[in-house]
Amino acid sequence: MDFIGKRILVTGGAQGLGRSTVGKFDAAGGKVFALDKDLVELETLKADLPNVTTIGVDLLNWEATRIELEKFGPFDHLVNNAGVCPLENFLETQEEDVN
């Protein structure tokens, strides 16, 4: 698939599935923006994929996120990958574990 000229925002883009997604879009010619709160992982990503624009912000801070994204938008595609992954039995997950 061809994403040449498309602007793609990937949240949670510094590691795991998000990082893999960033790499695929980059390889397909997209202008990729990787957003993550982990600044160290973003630096590693940038070293490996220099064409990717990294955005260091915590999505829980809505105002900071809005300010950062206004610097780079608009976007053609969004991969809303940011989230949590509690390492416990799903049925034992508590609200505070994901909120």
Side-chain angles (χ1 to χ4, degrees), residues 6-8 10 22 25-26 30-34 51-54:
K6 299 297 181 181
R7 298 169 57 81
I8 304 128
V10 181
V22 166
F25 279 119
D26 182 55
K31 174 61 180 153
V32 186
F33 299 81
N51 291 329
V52 171
T53 300
T54 57

Side-chain angles (χ1 to χ4, degrees), residues 36-96:
D36 205 290
K37 67 180 181 179
D38 190 328
L39 302 180
V40 173
E41 289 295 330
L42 283 174
E43 287 179 20
T44 302
L45 172 69
K46 185 67 172 176
D48 293 342
L49 299 171
N51 291 329
V52 171
T53 300
T54 57
I55 305 170
V57 69
D58 188 341
L59 288 173
L60 290 177
N61 185 334
W62 286 31
E63 183 63 15
T65 300
R66 183 187 62 76
I67 290 168
E68 285 302 309
L69 292 182
E70 284 179 347
K71 295 176 186 176
F72 300 102
F75 302 101
D76 298 301
H77 301 282
L78 167 66
V79 178
N80 196 15
N81 177 67
V84 296
C85 182
L87 300 175
E88 59 189 36
N89 183 316
F90 174 74
L91 296 175
E92 296 173 7
T93 302
Q94 302 295 311
E95 182 177 352
E96 56 270 9

